């Protein structure tokens, strides 16, 4: 198990990283706005699950594939961009407003979770980020590497839960207020589609560094 000084340093790093607004926070906020707290927390659960998988990939060197085989990075980047573009299209073309009075959740909760998971996994920058961060805190002499990865990834996700939990609660309140205004019923849906579209463009045209 990592020593206390290592854990304290990682907590500080995780706090700064998770408090910095980014694509994950934007996705969580827009989903909470459009479909409420349950959808927001499930989106975060999907992203957090993806973070665990990315952490293990980085710790055991799988992410180095992107450094050794450049086209693998670009292939995953374009697959991720295409997936997000498809989500943007299906969200915007939906005829039923997400927050129309009396309207049941536009998406099944399982699908919302999987969207968060795949959005995380199909982002190669997340893999490279984990590759840069985790090895600095892993120490072979501290015991099982797998156990250390679980601890560090859990810390990262807990810090993210605190920050994004506040975002989810605030955004869901705003969404609830909008749901009582028929003229604005489609606004969260348009925002959700715009978020997916923006993330797709960001991923498609982002430089590796």
């Amino acid at each position: 198990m990592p020593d206390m000084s290592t854990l304290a340093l990682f907590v500080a790093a995780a706090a700064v990283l998770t408090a910095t607004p980014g694509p994950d926070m934007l996705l969580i906020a827009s989903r909470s706005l459009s479909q409420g707290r349950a959808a927001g927390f499930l989106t975060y659960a999907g992203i957090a699950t993806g973070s665990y998988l990315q952490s293990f990939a980085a710790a055991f060197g799988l992410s180095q594939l992107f450094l050794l085989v450049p086209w693998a990075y670009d292939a995953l980047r374009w697959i991720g961009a295409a997936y997000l573009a498809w989500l943007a299209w299906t969200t915007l073309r939906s005829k039923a407003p997400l927050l129309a009075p009396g309207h049941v959740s536009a998406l099944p909760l399982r699908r919302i979770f999987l969207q968060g998971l795949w959005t995380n996994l199909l982002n190669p920058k997340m893999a490279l980020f984990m590759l840069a961060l985790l090895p600095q805190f892993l120490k072979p002499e501290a015991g099982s590497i797998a156990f250390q990865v679980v601890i560090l990834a859990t810390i990262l996700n807990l810090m993210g839960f605190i920050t994004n939990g506040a975002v989810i609660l605030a955004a869901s309140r705003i969404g609830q207020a909008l749901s009582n205004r028929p003229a604005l019923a489609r606004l969260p849906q348009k925002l959700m589609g715009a978020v997916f579209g923006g993330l797709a463009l960001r991923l498609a045209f982002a430089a590796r560094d």
Side-chain angles (χ1 to χ4, degrees), residues 110-186:
R110 177 175 175 273
R111 185 174 173 188
I112 293 172
F113 172 84
L114 290 175
Q115 282 186 357
L117 174 64
W118 285 113
T119 299
N120 181 278
L121 292 180
L122 291 174
N123 183 359
K125 280 187 170 293
M126 182 64 179
L128 292 178
F129 169 77
M130 287 295 188
L131 180 62
L133 178 69
L134 280 186
Q136 301 180 45
F137 296 92
L138 298 175
K139 299 180 178 180
E141 66 273 15
S144 169
I145 292 296
F147 183 60
Q148 292 181 61
V149 170
V150 170
I151 292 176
L152 296 179
T154 299
I155 290 173
L156 181 64
N157 283 331
L158 285 176
M159 299 303 294
F161 180 80
I162 293 172
T163 301
N164 289 295
V167 172
I168 290 168
L169 294 177
S172 62
R173 284 177 178 269
I174 295 173
Q176 186 61 38
L178 291 176
S179 69
N180 297 322
R181 298 171 181 251
L184 300 177
R186 295 188 68 88

Side-chain angles (χ1 to χ4, degrees), residues 41-52:
F41 281 116
L42 272 177
T43 299
Y44 178 72
I47 290 171
T49 301
S51 295
Y52 275 112

Side-chain angles (χ1 to χ4, degrees), residues 23-85:
D24 285 351
M25 186 180 292
L26 184 60
L27 177 61
I28 289 167
S30 56
R31 179 59 76 189
S32 303
L33 178 66
S34 64
Q35 286 188 248
R37 285 181 296 177
F41 281 116
L42 272 177
T43 299
Y44 178 72
I47 290 171
T49 301
S51 295
Y52 275 112
L53 297 177
Q54 297 271 25
S55 297
F56 276 103
F60 293 102
L62 297 180
S63 296
Q64 294 185 22
L65 173 67
F66 296 141
L67 302 178
L68 299 175
V69 186
W71 65 263
Y73 176 94
D74 291 327
L76 185 60
R77 179 165 61 90
W78 283 106
I79 291 172
Y83 173 70
L84 290 168

